[in-house]
Amino acid sequence: MKRILAPSILAGDHASLKDSLLCADQDGRSWIHLDIMDGHFVPNLSFGPQTVADLRKHSSLFFDVHLMLDQPQKYIEAFSAAGADLISIHVEPDYDISETLGKIKSMGKKAGIVLNPATPAEEVFPYLSDVELVLCMTVVPGFGGQSFMENVLSKTRALSSLREQKDLTFLIEVDGGVGPEQVTPCLEAGVDVLVAGTAYFKGDKKSRDEFAGSIENY
Ligand code: DX5
Ligand code: ZN
């Protein structure tokens, strides 16, 4: 399976997110990662469905929408209508996860389940056959620019072997603190999609191409 670098637009200039989207598109990426934050589940706010809908008009990139929300079930329709291709929801908050995953699928979108660094992999085992993606956070969510938590790779290795044992097909994604030096450890630990905000958008074209190439040509 071809590995993917998904630039996180959270690290873009929020006065012109379209420019960051077009940068990733013109660089030749296939995914863009959109971090949605409610100031409750995580101590930060980012942007909402209208921003996603306006960005959607400018690119056909795969919109990987990461809902860091206490009550994500209330926003599935809105982000589906806005043009999300995949909607991922966290396992930690108190809501009906299976019902919400079903709602995402009923809207014709791919579904993802997300776990924070401190959350054991076992928490997502009940949902593995219902999702197309498992996102293992490699920082405590809320802010870009944090340091990568290498111990999370024991979770991606466990999920990768379980996927093989059970003949499942979900993708494994990591998000947070990912830079060029994390590429080999992540790919060797079963990761398929690497989300990168700061490390991608702070670089010039040459460094972005090298970074992405080390993943997409692995
Ligand atoms: C955390 C966000 C960030 C972002 C990537 O809540 O999800 O992880 O996508 O940020 P960087 O790559 O700048 O750490
Ligand atoms: Zn994210």
Side-chain angles (χ1 to χ4, degrees), residues 5-213:
L5 189 161
S8 170
I9 207 161
L10 184 79
D13 173 354
H14 287 232
S16 50
L17 288 177
K18 174 181 155 189
D19 294 350
S20 305
L21 174 65
L22 294 180
C23 169
D25 202 333
Q26 286 150 18
D27 280 354
R29 304 288 70 77
S30 53
W31 287 35
I32 193 84
H33 185 83
L34 298 114
D35 284 310
I36 311 300
M37 301 180 181
D38 64 0
H40 293 278
F41 180 64
V42 293
N44 194 7
L45 292 160
S46 59
F47 44 83
Q50 187 58 56
T51 304
V52 176
D54 287 349
L55 288 168
R56 180 78 280 175
K57 298 173 203 160
H58 300 287
S59 170
S60 57
L61 286 185
F62 186 84
F63 275 26
D64 168 27
V65 176
H66 173 194
L67 299 185
M68 286 166 268
L69 311 177
D70 247 349
Q71 298 288 296
Q73 73 282 10
K74 295 180 180 170
Y75 300 91
I76 303 307
E77 280 96 337
F79 283 101
S80 297
D85 293 295
L86 182 150
I87 299 175
S88 57
I89 56 178
H90 273 260
V91 74
E92 293 88 3
D94 179 20
Y95 65 101
D96 190 323
I97 294 172
S98 294
E99 188 180 275
T100 307
L101 291 171
K103 192 176 217 176
I104 294 169
K105 311 292 276 281
S106 73
M107 307 292 286
K109 307 301 178 180
K110 296 190 183 308
I113 190 85
V114 193
L115 30 82
N116 282 338
T119 305
E122 289 72 13
E123 295 288 308
V124 297
F125 286 3
Y127 313 106
L128 294 180
S129 46
D130 304 324
V131 296
E132 282 76 40
L133 180 128
V134 177
L135 166 46
C136 297
M137 290 304 295
T138 43
V139 293
V140 175
F143 298 91
Q146 300 178 72
S147 303
F148 183 82
M149 297 168 76
E150 184 113 15
N151 61 319
V152 172
L153 294 184
S154 59
K155 258 191 261 187
T156 61
R157 272 189 284 272
L159 286 161
S160 175
S161 357
L162 193 61
R163 174 174 63 185
E164 204 171 328
Q165 280 163 34
K166 295 187 177 283
D167 202 19
L168 294 170
T169 57
F170 58 87
L171 297 177
I172 298 170
E173 183 177 77
V174 291
D175 175 9
V178 175
E181 58 283 3
Q182 278 74 42
V183 171
T184 302
C186 285
L187 297 179
E188 286 177 352
V191 176
D192 305 295
V193 185
L194 290 80
V195 173
T198 307
Y200 189 81
F201 285 113
K202 81 169 188 316
D204 59 12
K205 175 98 173 82
K206 182 172 175 296
S207 66
R208 296 199 304 272
D209 287 349
E210 281 167 7
F211 183 19

